[in-house]
Amino acid sequence: MNPFLELHDFCIANRISIATAESCTAGRIASEISAISGASLFFNGGLIAYQNNIKVKLLGVSELLIKEKTEVSLEVVEQMAEGVRDRFLADFAISTSGYAGPSGGTILNPVGTVLIGISSNNKTISKRFLFKGDRESIINQCVVTACRFLLKELKKQK
């Protein structure tokens, strides 16, 4: 089954609202969610926080944290998810940040590194993923993985 259709049906059946904060995926998760008719029943909206000043000013991410850990860190995606969940009044939120390439990346976080955060009223978690391929492939892998990761957490907490 399409993971976005499964997310759609699960959220509607369980009356769960979600929001997104995307950096490296640039709104593609939100686009996939809202491409299915009826998404307005559970999808509150999303924010593309591509630049760090947007992460800080609109999502409440700590500027000091970005300086210390960089924008591609577990702590930053967690703050992004918490910030968008609070601002969009959602039950759950998902966030992404990473290096899709072809440039960027570091020795510790090479191109293909993507961090995904999920926040609920109960907890906030994050995971690091490493995808292979070109920019488009890395983004596409991240979008699907993010949806599956969110579904898994929704089912655990429901």
Side-chain angles (χ1 to χ4, degrees):
M1 177 185 237
N2 175 334
F4 288 95
L5 182 57
E6 188 178 349
L7 177 68
H8 172 278
D9 293 348
F10 188 87
C11 287
I12 290 172
N14 292 283
R15 298 182 180 188
I16 295 170
S17 62
I18 62 172
T20 60
E22 301 180 66
S23 186
C24 64
T25 49
R28 291 202 198 174
I29 296 169
S31 179
E32 289 292 332
I33 290 169
S34 61
I36 301 170
S37 180
S40 62
L41 295 172
F42 71 95
F43 183 53
N44 290 8
L47 179 73
I48 300 170
Y50 215 68
Q51 295 185 347
N52 289 342
N53 65 328
I54 300 302
K55 291 174 181 75
V56 171
K57 291 180 181 168
L58 298 183
L59 293 175
V61 175
S62 164
E63 193 170 4
L64 181 60
L65 180 63
I66 292 173
K67 286 179 183 172
E68 288 178 357
K69 301 276 187 172
T70 82
E71 64 276 10
V72 182
S73 68
L74 295 172
E75 296 87 351
V76 167
V77 293
E78 288 179 5
Q79 286 190 2
M80 288 172 66
E82 290 168 351
V84 80
R85 183 178 52 81
D86 290 344
R87 286 156 181 81
F88 281 70
L89 308 173
D91 298 316
F92 282 80
I94 189 161
S95 62
T96 61
S97 186
Y99 300 113
S103 60
T106 65
I107 292 170
L108 293 176
N109 288 317
V111 168
T113 301
V114 178
L115 306 173
I116 301 172
I118 295 175
S119 180
S120 71
N121 289 325
N122 298 326
K123 67 179 180 176
T124 300
I125 62 168
S126 58
K127 279 189 178 179
R128 180 183 185 271
F129 298 88
L130 184 60
F131 301 114
K132 300 285 184 199
D134 64 12
R135 181 179 181 82
E136 190 67 21
S137 176
I138 289 167
I139 292 169
N140 288 338
Q141 290 172 73
C142 178
V143 167
V144 172
T145 300
C147 183
R148 289 186 174 134
F149 182 29
L150 178 57
L151 264 168
K152 183 179 172 186
E153 285 306 309
L154 288 172
K155 290 175 181 179
K156 270 191 208 173
Q157 293 190 42
K158 186 59 192 155

